[in-house]
Amino acid sequence: MITTSSRYAPTRRVFDTPAAAAVAAADVVTKLVAERDQPVITFPTGSTMEGLYAELRRRVTEEKLELDQVRGIQLDEYVGVDDETPESFRAWLSDRLLRPAGLDRFLRLPSLAPTPESLGSYEASLAALGGVDLAILGIGGNGHIAFNEPGSPADSRTRVVQLNARTQEANRRYWGDPTAVPSEAVSQGIGTIMEARAILLIATGPAKAGILADAFEGPITTEVPASILRGHPNVTVITDTDAAAKLRG
Ligand code: PGA
């Protein structure tokens, strides 16, 4: 699918530093939690999110922000990992957000041994929660959102995906044994993500500048999965100045 213009213009907010971007992202979460009973929020992993989760933890301890009513949703996970796998996304997120924030209602992906039935019941559980109020996303250097690599269909659902070499390489730093990075993951599909009522994409650092410009000012194409987000009416992109450096508009 390739078109030349966007149907919607995402709201862009550029901040001087990654820390200021993290505070702005935490404000979005805090506002939703204040306004909505039992909000459903998709939480990603990745180094971009460290600042957001640190700020949310700070608000929980210092400002009495309560996240225990939040329904957390897992966005992606390696195939074959379990609770004992320290490199799992679930373990990463537990350490940084779920445990410190007392956020224990968390819908997990069926990553241990995914089947069409278990993947379907994950999507059914999402629907039973009433859908996602806010999907928080990072963006990969190749434009992926969650583990939807370039070429993923715009209407894809939650499924098993192959990780391409670039993504495996990017994730090697998290694994004690770098040869052990799984080659498969379970990921919400682009179509699943697009059903969220609001989407917040966060990108920081100069390494994201080129792909951010491709995604939000280049053609809308499945070769840059994040560009598909321009078909969604309620997307906010929060960046620091380094990541925004190649955006013209
Ligand atoms: P990063 O990952 O935050 O570690 O750069 C983002 C992503 O791959 O979605």
Side-chain angles (χ1 to χ4, degrees):
M1 181 178 84
I2 298 187
T3 62
T4 48
S5 62
S6 83
R7 276 178 285 161
Y8 299 102
T11 301
R12 295 180 192 170
R13 300 176 60 203
V14 181
F15 296 87
D16 286 345
T17 62
V23 167
D27 286 345
V28 174
V29 174
T30 303
K31 183 165 181 286
L32 177 64
V33 170
E35 285 173 356
R36 194 168 169 94
D37 198 29
Q38 304 187 341
V40 180
I41 305 178
T42 304
F43 292 108
T45 56
S47 47
T48 308
M49 301 299 148
E50 297 270 14
L52 168 62
Y53 297 151
E55 176 62 12
L56 289 175
R57 290 195 305 272
R58 190 193 67 72
R59 293 181 189 196
V60 166
T61 33
E62 294 177 18
E63 296 174 5
K64 305 273 180 280
L65 172 67
E66 291 183 4
L67 296 178
D68 52 332
Q69 289 302 310
V70 172
R71 269 59 177 160
I73 305 295
Q74 190 171 32
L75 181 67
D76 49 13
E77 180 60 281
Y78 297 109
V79 164
V81 303
D82 61 19
D83 283 349
E84 310 304 316
T85 310
E87 295 90 349
S88 71
F89 284 173
R90 156 70 185 206
W92 188 97
L93 197 58
S94 283
D95 289 347
R96 286 160 182 80
L97 185 70
L98 305 181
R99 209 171 331 98
L103 204 163
D104 51 14
R105 279 176 270 214
F106 185 67
L107 177 64
R108 297 178 68 169
L109 286 156
S111 52
L112 196 54
T115 61
E117 291 72 29
S118 61
L119 293 163
S121 64
Y122 167 88
E123 291 249 353
S125 302
L126 258 187
L129 285 167
V132 172
D133 292 305
L134 177 68
I136 306 172
L137 301 173
I139 180 171
N142 61 6
H144 73 206
I145 46 173
F147 270 142
N148 294 289
E149 301 285 24
S152 298
D155 61 356
S156 47
R157 309 303 305 181
T158 303
R159 68 203 187 289
V160 174
V161 294
Q162 306 295 318
L163 300 185
N164 68 27
R166 184 169 174 183
T167 297
Q168 277 188 285
E169 185 56 41
N171 287 304
R172 228 173 273 291
R173 64 189 191 277
Y174 294 111
W175 288 75
D177 171 4
T179 63
V181 187
S183 59
E184 285 185 332
V186 181
S187 179
Q188 273 191 18
I190 298 176
T192 318
I193 292 169
M194 291 288 276
E195 286 171 5
R197 283 181 277 282
I199 293 173
L200 171 62
L201 185 138
I202 309 170
T204 53
K208 296 291 167 69
I211 195 63
L212 211 60
D214 289 349
F216 292 99
E217 293 181 349
I220 297 178
T221 166
T222 52
E223 289 312 307
V224 182
S227 70
I228 306 293
L229 298 174
R230 286 151 64 197
H232 191 291
N234 188 2
V235 176
T236 301
V237 180
I238 287 183
T239 72
D240 66 353
T241 42
D242 283 343
K246 293 189 175 161
L247 289 169
R248 293 185 310 271

